[in-house]
Structures are given as C-alpha cells and as structure tokens.
Amino acid sequence: MLLIEDDADAAESICRALTAEGHDVSPEGSGQGGVASLLRAAPDLMIVDRMLPDMDGIAVVQTARSSGYIGPVLLLTALGSIEDRVTGLRAGADDYLVKPFAVAELVARIEALLRRGTKQQEVASFGSIRIDRLRREVWREDRRVVLQPREFELLERLVSQNGKTVSRTMLLEKVWHLHFDPQTNIVETHMSRLRQKLNAGFDIDAIRTVRGIGYSLRADG
C-alpha cells in the first residue's frame, strides 16, 4: 500500500504498525511523489494526508481517481468538521480519519477497507448491462458505454442489487457517502446522465424508476 504523509514521525509510526501486521508499505513524503508512485504501480490501498506541503491531499485523491485508480483511499487529516469530511469523501476517498488517532484504529480501518475491496467480483452483469469493476468499464450488450466516475458508481450499485430497487437514501450513502439529504437533485441529475448514456441506440430504458422509492435495473437481457 502507498502512504503519502509529510510528517516523518507519523509516517514511521504508521509504517511500523502496518508492517507488524504483515502489510507492505511504500511511504512518500509529498503529494507529487505520491502521485508518481501511484502511476508507477497501482497499490492495493492509499493512505493520504490531507495537508501536504506541495499539494492538497484532496487533489491527490482526485488525481488518483481521474487516472482510473479504483483501490480504497483513506484520508488522514486534522480537519474534522462535517464539511471537511464531506469534501474528502466526495473527492473520492473511502474513509476519513481525524488526527490525532490511535494507530490501532487506523490499522483496523485499513483492514476493513481491504476486506471490502476483495468481496466483490471483478466482472458483474444484470440484464443487458455488464461492468468490469477493476477496469471500470461498462457495456450494454456489445456496445461500450463510457461513464464518468460517479456515474459508474451509481451503475455499480444498481448492478450489485440484481434488479432490486435501490433507494435514493442508499445511493446518497453509498455513492456520495452522505448520511443526510442534502436537499438537492444530485441523484436525479447523475441518474439522468447515466440513463442517457446507457439508452443511446436502444429502445428499452435500462433503468426503471420506482416512484417515491428509488431505481432498479431492468431485466432486459
């Protein structure tokens, strides 16, 4: 895994604890060094300090996601407000740990993220839709569909439910990591874009809207 932390003492402590648990850790002391290391060899997991001297940790996470990195990302930060947490999670982080923290908690969170990442099958399908979670690629029948990261996450959530309805609340929690209703049409807007891309060239709408509840994939395959 890749650790991007400019505090040498903190980095040493984290590396020592993770190594003791059997993990291989590659430390980087800067954002640019971390991004370069990420692009050389995609790690199983990234630990990113939010406040780096040369680059905001948020920018590191966004760069990782835009480059196609799909592994779990844990943000470390001294900024613990709800707004800061939401910003980090919306940028693409999977978890957020506020400093100071117990190293034992950090190790436990990392192991939970790794377990979460290994439970899902690389390729999954429902109806005419097929997704490759590793490559983040999507097909409807034989046609490749190019999606933005958030659109892929929405579709991945629908595919994983095998035609069952996914509520708007669940999508906010699982895709945007929001445990409250932001009172916006963020879900509807992204779902509309996803629907347009999936349905281009097809007569049948791949997504079924369950009014007042949520969305499901149509078993059209």
Side-chain angles (χ1 to χ4, degrees):
M1 62 186 69
L2 175 62
L3 168 64
I4 307 175
E5 168 63 79
D6 64 303
D7 184 325
D9 292 338
E12 182 180 356
S13 175
I14 292 170
C15 285
R16 186 167 55 247
L18 291 172
T19 301
E21 295 296 328
H23 300 290
D24 292 326
V25 186
S26 298
E28 288 286 349
S30 69
Q32 292 184 359
V35 171
S37 181
L38 165 69
L39 296 178
R40 283 196 302 272
D44 294 332
L45 179 145
M46 292 177 63
I47 308 166
V48 183
D49 182 35
R50 172 72 190 271
M51 302 178 72
L52 296 165
D54 64 330
M55 192 174 178
D56 190 326
I58 294 293
V60 173
V61 175
Q62 291 173 329
T63 301
R65 294 306 188 201
S66 64
S67 72
Y69 178 69
I70 62 169
V73 177
L74 174 63
L75 264 179
L76 305 177
T77 180
L79 305 175
S81 71
I82 292 177
E83 291 77 11
D84 291 323
R85 292 169 186 258
V86 170
T87 298
L89 294 171
R90 280 180 168 172
D94 297 282
D95 199 359
Y96 198 97
L97 188 56
V98 178
K99 296 180 178 180
F101 54 80
V103 173
E105 182 182 0
L106 172 66
V107 173
R109 285 176 182 250
I110 287 171
E111 292 178 344
L113 287 172
L114 290 173
R115 285 197 302 273
R116 187 190 306 172
T118 56
K119 285 180 178 178
Q120 295 180 318
Q121 293 180 341
E122 181 178 326
V123 177
S125 63
F126 185 83
S128 60
I129 306 297
R130 177 164 54 94
I131 65 171
D132 186 321
R133 292 187 171 102
L134 183 61
R135 298 179 181 276
R136 295 181 80 83
E137 294 178 347
V138 173
W139 294 266
R140 184 170 184 186
E141 295 183 356
D142 294 329
R143 183 176 67 82
R144 172 81 185 279
V145 182
V146 178
L147 300 179
Q148 294 296 314
R150 198 71 77 183
E151 296 162 355
F152 181 89
E153 292 179 39
L154 271 177
L155 181 60
E156 194 276 336
R157 187 59 51 183
L158 295 177
V159 170
S160 67
Q161 293 301 308
N162 292 317
K164 296 178 183 175
T165 301
V166 183
S167 70
R168 186 177 183 278
T169 299
M170 181 180 291
L171 292 173
L172 283 170
E173 291 182 2
K174 300 299 183 182
V175 177
W176 282 271
H177 307 286
L178 295 177
H179 299 280
F180 58 92
D181 191 335
Q183 301 297 315
T184 69
N185 61 351
I186 187 172
V187 175
E188 291 75 10
T189 299
H190 282 76
M191 193 63 75
S192 176
R193 292 174 184 164
L194 172 61
R195 181 175 256 138
Q196 288 177 14
K197 292 181 179 180
L198 290 176
N199 291 342
F202 291 87
D203 296 329
I204 300 175
D205 190 345
I207 299 175
R208 189 169 63 96
T209 299
V210 183
R211 190 174 298 278
I213 300 177
Y215 305 89
S216 66
L217 282 182
R218 199 178 300 276
D220 61 342

